[in-house]
Amino acid sequence: MEIEQNIWGFTAEGEAIVLYKMTNAGGASVKLTNIGATVVSVEVPDRDGRLANVALGYDDFKSYFGDGPCMGKTVGRFANRIRGARFTLDGVEYRLSANCSEGRHHTHGGGINGFANKIWESRVETDRVVFSLFSPDGDQGYPGDLNAEVVYDWSDDCELEITYYAKTTAPTIINLTNHSYFNLKGEDRPGAMDQLLQINGSKYLRYDADCVCTGELVDVKGTPMDFSEPKALSAEIDADYEPLRFGSGYDQSWAIDGYEKGKLSEAGVLYDSQSGRRMRIRTTQPSIHIYAGNYLEGCPQSISGHPYGRRAGVAIECQAYPNSPNCPGFPSTVLRPGEIYNEKIVFRFETDAN
């Protein structure tokens, strides 16, 4: 494994923005930056061995600050929405920054002030890249001093492993995920919604009109939410079905079948028949959120110099159930002093020539 690190630029305050490139024995590579502990690109071969970047990203580091899509970033302290921007823990109500749905709810840890827009400490540890961040007590309303760490490993088998760690000084909640968008044809190619998606989830999480989880699980059978067998994202994305109307297309979470805390489970597969590229998704998290880039149009210029249009890629976010602090039946997201938060996401890139 070869790891290069270069200065991508400096902020107005003089802080260095670092760009890391991890290259495996086959020449496939992953680029990362310390803004938001972000995946900038993932260059992997197609069935004929031709390399292409399959992860959406920007050409200028400044574009990563405050972008709406959270392109490739680590989002936290709590990914996705929390109803009313509040939760109760051990009898105490905590009010969070209200940054979505016209100030009604909290999402992705506080938007502009969340983990995704922070400059993380970063370092190379032998053959991996490690990002760390300190979040003080009261940050966006969350209790406890929190120390978070994100570790990226890239193998010769083109397996990108993302491991999250955190510890706290007071009881708090946490839900970290990666917000990369993928187009297995190549990030600069059209037709991202032609990709075939399969999800190991027989139930999806019901959302309301604000796209906030209600606490109910719904059977996917007979609905456009059924990805139990591989299906093109485009096949039913515009169907007249309530969740699709609310999200202007897929912007939904599925409960992963067979979830067990701490166990790495098969969450799904993304496949592109044109290139032969396949991405297998495994995680220790209980749900997988699929966002089809319904509002990508107008985001900053891409890493290849062209503008991204609507649905130019699909975000695949393995995470805890959204709004789980306000849904008693959901798996707990509480982290207490003395405990270590430890979750993992694995994206394995293959081809049908393997």
Side-chain angles (χ1 to χ4, degrees), residues 53-64:
N53 174 25
V54 299
L56 277 59
Y58 303 137
D59 66 346
D60 187 336
F61 77 84
K62 299 182 200 69
S63 296
Y64 282 97

Side-chain angles (χ1 to χ4, degrees), residues 77 85 87 93-97 106 109 135-144 172:
R77 286 189 191 189
F87 68 95
E93 183 181 83
Y94 295 93
R95 299 200 174 198
L96 308 174
S97 56
H106 175 88
S135 174
D137 178 53
D139 186 6
Q140 307 310 304
Y142 291 96
T172 192

Side-chain angles (χ1 to χ4, degrees), residues 4-9 17-21:
E4 303 171 41
Q5 58 183 89
N6 294 288
I7 301 298
W8 199 358
I17 303 305
V18 185
L19 186 66
Y20 296 91
K21 184 178 181 181

Side-chain angles (χ1 to χ4, degrees), residues 183-205:
N183 179 359
L184 297 181
K185 296 177 186 299
E187 62 81 31
D188 59 345
R189 307 286 296 177
M193 294 300 105
D194 296 337
Q195 296 175 98
L196 302 180
L197 177 66
Q198 181 263 325
I199 299 174
N200 293 331
S202 54
K203 295 183 184 297
Y204 72 89
L205 282 66

Side-chain angles (χ1 to χ4, degrees), residues 330-351:
F330 283 180
S332 174
T333 53
V334 174
L335 180 68
R336 298 186 181 278
E339 298 175 342
I340 295 178
Y341 175 85
N342 180 7
E343 301 289 352
K344 192 181 294 288
I345 300 169
V346 180
F347 297 119
R348 182 183 177 91
F349 297 90
E350 306 172 345
T351 73

